[in-house]
Each structure stands twice: as C-alpha cells, then as structure tokens.
Amino acid sequence: MNDMTTSTVGTVDDVAGLRAVAAFLADVWGMPHDAPPFHTDVLHSVAHAGGAVHAARSGGDVVGASVAVFGPPAERDVYSLAAAAGTSDRGIGHAVKQAQRAWALERGARTMRWTFDPLVARNARFNLVKLGAVASEYQVDFYGPMDDGINNGDETDRLTALWDLTADAPAPVEEADGRAAAPVLAKAPDGGPLAVRDDTRVWCRVPEDVVALRATDPDTALRWRHAVREVFTTAYAEGLRATAMSRDGWYTLTVPTALTASEDQA
C-alpha cells in the first residue's frame, strides 16, 4: 500500500513526467487518458509560465499530484488548479499540499485558494480541519455541467478554500459542541436533519458518499445539492463561513476569526 514512507514529492517539468501526471489525474476524475482534466501541453505551459506541477511517486508510479499558478496579487496569492491522491492515500494528499505550500512560501506567497465540492465530506474535512483552510466563498454551479466520472452531470456548486500559508498547524476541533441541543432548521432528503443552528453557528449535514449516490440515484443527489445550497447561501449572506467538518458529515458555519486577516493578506 502506498504511503509517505515509500513516496517522494517533487516538481515535474519534463514531458514524460507531465504525461504521467495527466494520466493519473484522468484516473482520479474517471476520464479517458486521451481526455484528461489537464492535458500534457497545458501542464507544460503551467510549469513554463512559473506555476508548479507536483507529483508524488512510489516505485516510479504517480500516486498523487497537484497543479498551481499564481493569482492576483501575483506576489502573494497562489491558486491551486488541482490536487489529488490515489485511493490508498495514507498521507500522500497531505504531503502533496505541503509541497505546494513550501513551493509557494519560497516564492513569497501568503495564501492559497482552490475550489471543492461542498457535498464531498472527506475533501471538506481534509481542507478545513487537516489543513486549517476557511471556505471563503460559496459559488453556485461554478463550472456548469461536468460529465466526468465524479460529477456525473451534477450541478457544480463549489466552496472556495482560503488557506493562510503562514499560519501554524490547526488545533484539534471540538466536532459536536452545541450541535445536539440546537433547533433543527430543515430536513434532509433522507428524512434526517439537514441543518441546525444556535445563536452564532449553523451546522449543515451532507450525504455520506455523494459520488456513489450520483451514480445510483442522481435525482436524490440533486435534491441534496439544492438543499445544502439553500442552507449555505443563506448562511453566507449572513456573514457565516464554513470552518470545520466533523467525521460524521456535519459542517460548522460560523464567523471565522482568521478570515478577515487572511483576505487582507491576499
């Protein structure tokens, strides 16, 4: 099984290496190798323009990868176009993001941004809890229809992760503090609670495995999309932001103390 005891992470700028990254990303997104999310020529252009393509390798195979470019203001903010690890991750995804972070900090960046699907709880927990990012924006149908093996034509709402690269490692999160006693705001498509709130926070639940649900019951997956969208757009209009995700699939939305400082640096 791949793990970071047997893997290395580094930047890639040669055609053969970039071709291997393109094929790996195609596998992650469930797309044909001749139609990956990022073609080899695009990856080469990113690297040539001063961006970075990172690859984690184990035994010569690519087991994780990321793609990043500088965004405005170019001297302080980096935009991550993609970051992925194989199914037997064992710390590879975290190592890839830390390699991106080190590369960006060496070049004077202070923040990094990327988008992720709010319905994918595992990614949300990695971004908000493991890395300590804040979901600074909620974007409705950001990419339009995507017919890859993950999105399967679903509406592509996205959260924007804003990661303060200069911050210390995040402290452990109290996952359910206050949630059980909070009044229920709405019911989810499965009949259970969707959202609860107290005076300062909203908690919102997402499905256990939305990728599998899209494949077996796309209508129910779309109902989850619309239900979660309503909770998030209302909360974000009030100034709340997603700052944590519990192991049992509940977001915490609150007014983040670090958001203003991070956005001022961006």
Side-chain angles (χ1 to χ4, degrees):
M1 182 174 288
N2 298 321
D3 59 40
M4 285 316 300
T5 64
T6 60
S7 302
T8 58
V9 184
T11 55
V12 181
D13 58 10
D14 63 289
V15 172
L18 294 169
R19 186 177 293 118
V21 169
F24 169 78
L25 293 174
D27 289 340
V28 170
W29 266 268
M31 301 172 71
H33 281 195
D34 60 356
F38 296 95
H39 285 272
T40 302
D41 58 343
V42 173
L43 295 177
H44 209 171
S45 296
V46 167
H48 187 248
V53 179
H54 283 87
R57 294 181 181 272
S58 179
D61 296 328
V62 176
V63 295
S66 64
V67 185
V69 297
F70 274 90
E75 69 274 13
R76 289 193 293 175
D77 190 64
V78 168
Y79 194 89
S80 178
L81 297 169
T87 54
S88 55
D89 185 327
R90 297 183 66 83
I92 292 169
H94 188 255
V96 168
K97 290 304 293 184
Q98 291 301 327
Q100 273 193 314
R101 175 178 179 266
W103 172 84
L105 285 171
E106 287 172 1
R107 287 155 180 78
R110 298 177 65 84
T111 56
M112 184 179 293
R113 301 168 194 260
W114 61 93
T115 62
F116 65 98
D117 187 341
L119 296 187
V120 181
R122 178 170 60 90
N123 288 352
R125 183 168 174 81
F126 176 82
N127 293 331
L128 304 182
V129 178
K130 184 75 171 178
L131 297 180
V134 171
S136 61
E137 299 175 297
Y138 188 94
Q139 307 274 4
V140 175
D141 205 17
F142 185 62
Y143 295 110
M146 297 176 69
D147 293 321
D148 55 49
I150 293 177
N151 294 283
N152 285 325
D154 187 14
E155 295 175 9
T156 54
D157 290 19
R158 292 293 183 266
L159 287 167
T160 302
L162 172 60
W163 189 19
D164 182 354
L165 301 175
T166 67
D168 295 332
V173 175
E174 292 294 333
E175 294 186 349
D177 182 26
R179 192 180 80 205
V184 174
L185 287 180
K187 290 292 186 70
D190 63 4
L194 171 72
V196 301
R197 77 173 301 162
D198 64 13
D199 292 340
T200 59
R201 294 166 293 184
V202 171
W203 291 269
C204 182
R205 184 168 64 95
V206 296
E208 181 178 354
D209 186 345
V210 72
V211 177
L213 186 61
R214 286 186 191 121
T216 60
D217 190 350
D219 290 340
T220 297
L222 186 60
R223 288 199 295 273
W224 272 101
R225 171 73 70 202
H226 292 163
V228 171
R229 176 189 296 171
E230 183 173 355
V231 174
F232 267 78
T233 53
T234 300
Y236 270 55
E238 296 176 9
L240 278 64
R241 299 293 183 266
T243 57
M245 163 62 75
S246 70
R247 285 188 174 87
D248 59 347
W250 286 84
Y251 279 99
T252 299
L253 294 94
T254 187
V255 177
T257 56
L259 180 63
T260 301
S262 295
E263 288 192 323
D264 286 346
Q265 294 170 4

